[in-house]
Amino acid sequence: MSRTLVLAANWKMNKGPAATGEFLDPFLASIGSQAGACEVIVAPPFVSLPAAAAKLAGSGVALAAQNASQFDSGAYTGEISVGMLQELGVKHVILGHSERRSIYGETDEVINAKIKKVLDAGLHPIFCIGETLEEREGGKLETVLRTQVRDGLVGVSEEGLLNSVLAYEPVWAIGTGVTASPAQAQEAHAFVRSLLADLYSDEVAQKVRIQYGGSVKPGNSAELMAQPDIDGALVGGASLDPKDFQALIANALA
Ligand code: PEP
């Protein structure tokens, strides 16, 4: 089964509108036609979305948000709705990131509501899952992933799943410089795909793209991307430098 690779940049709370332009000018010039050979997505902070949308128009690189509210509108101070994101040209929304889970207390139930809200609007969730080091060392890897996948996808149709990308991000590898070995990552990805096969069907599971995330860098990405169940990367730190992010795309296509 050939799945189009998907490389996404999660800038987290980095790069305001000016810095977004400073990144995108050289980045877009350097990637040329590569954005057609794989899917490339950039997720700036909310305030930089308009600047990014203006630069990305016609480039083949898609715009993502790093979060969205599960509500449509109203008294939710500080929140941003899916409709507002849509108005800015956002196509993908990162949901369930471990920083949202651990720092902001987002539960599987909240993440599930957000996933459904994003899908209902015709946008594409990038649904993040992953275990902490304590959970892995305690032998709970499979239980944690099973719960996150099952509860995050409650009520999500087969079509909804196919409009989503999953991102396996072991929490212990995010921003730490420690990456999962290609074998560890492949094993987890194959397990996640087996969960999707149980919940939907093997045919559907084979079509779903599962990105790896966690200290992906130009020096370690080729081996990770070569694993049969790894379909791209969700990249934090190394996506902040246009040369590094371009190198990750080049490695994925090599
Ligand atoms: C992330 O935040 O999704 C991530 C994978 O970060 P980093 O690449 O910096 O580990």
Side-chain angles (χ1 to χ4, degrees):
M1 165 70 57
S2 76
R3 294 176 290 264
T4 305
L5 291 172
V6 52
L7 279 284
N10 174 16
W11 288 352
K12 312 192 187 194
M13 199 169 70
N14 295 292
K15 298 192 193 294
T20 293
E22 283 158 22
F23 175 100
L24 288 175
D25 286 335
F27 173 69
L28 292 174
S30 71
I31 59 166
S33 60
Q34 288 173 334
C38 65
E39 202 174 332
V40 181
I41 300 171
V42 176
F46 288 132
V47 294
S48 301
L49 288 170
K55 297 275 181 198
L56 295 180
S59 69
V61 174
L63 188 60
Q66 298 173 20
N67 186 25
S69 172
Q70 67 272 44
F71 304 113
D72 288 326
S73 63
Y76 302 104
T77 302
E79 290 292 285
I80 303 287
S81 73
V82 172
M84 293 170 187
L85 296 174
Q86 218 168 4
E87 241 183 283
L88 295 179
V90 165
K91 298 280 182 255
H92 306 262
V93 185
I94 299 171
L95 295 170
H97 192 280
S98 70
E99 288 150 18
R100 299 294 320 172
R101 292 177 188 265
S102 66
I103 305 172
Y104 301 100
E106 288 194 12
T107 60
D108 291 323
E109 195 184 359
V110 166
I111 293 159
N112 174 247
K114 291 183 175 197
I115 288 174
K116 287 193 281 203
K117 192 55 77 181
V118 164
L119 286 170
D120 285 349
L123 303 188
H124 304 280
I126 297 175
F127 170 31
C128 304
I129 52 173
E131 82 290 357
T132 63
L133 189 58
E134 196 184 357
E135 288 163 343
R136 175 173 275 263
E137 289 179 348
K140 295 190 184 134
L141 171 66
E142 295 196 349
T143 310
V144 169
L145 293 180
R146 185 178 294 108
T147 304
Q148 290 178 343
V149 169
R150 186 193 58 209
D151 295 359
L153 293 175
V154 169
V156 172
S157 66
E158 190 174 298
E159 191 191 349
L161 177 67
L162 291 171
N163 280 325
S164 310
V165 168
L166 268 71
Y168 168 65
E169 299 205 304
V171 179
W172 46 273
I174 297 180
T176 58
V178 179
T179 188
S181 69
Q184 281 174 320
Q186 166 56 27
E187 193 182 357
H189 280 234
F191 178 67
V192 171
R193 206 175 294 289
S194 78
L195 294 173
L196 297 176
D198 290 346
L199 288 172
Y200 295 85
S201 69
D202 192 44
E203 197 192 340
V204 168
Q206 289 302 325
K207 290 183 187 159
V208 177
R209 287 163 316 157
I210 308 174
Q211 298 174 300
Y212 170 77
S215 298
V216 174
K217 300 198 175 354
N220 63 23
S221 70
E223 225 188 322
L224 285 161
M225 297 305 109
Q227 301 304 312
D229 286 293
I230 298 184
D231 308 312
L234 179 55
V235 188
S239 74
L240 293 172
D241 179 324
K243 286 200 190 81
D244 283 350
F245 194 44
Q246 191 275 331
L248 292 176
I249 295 165
N251 281 352
L253 293 175

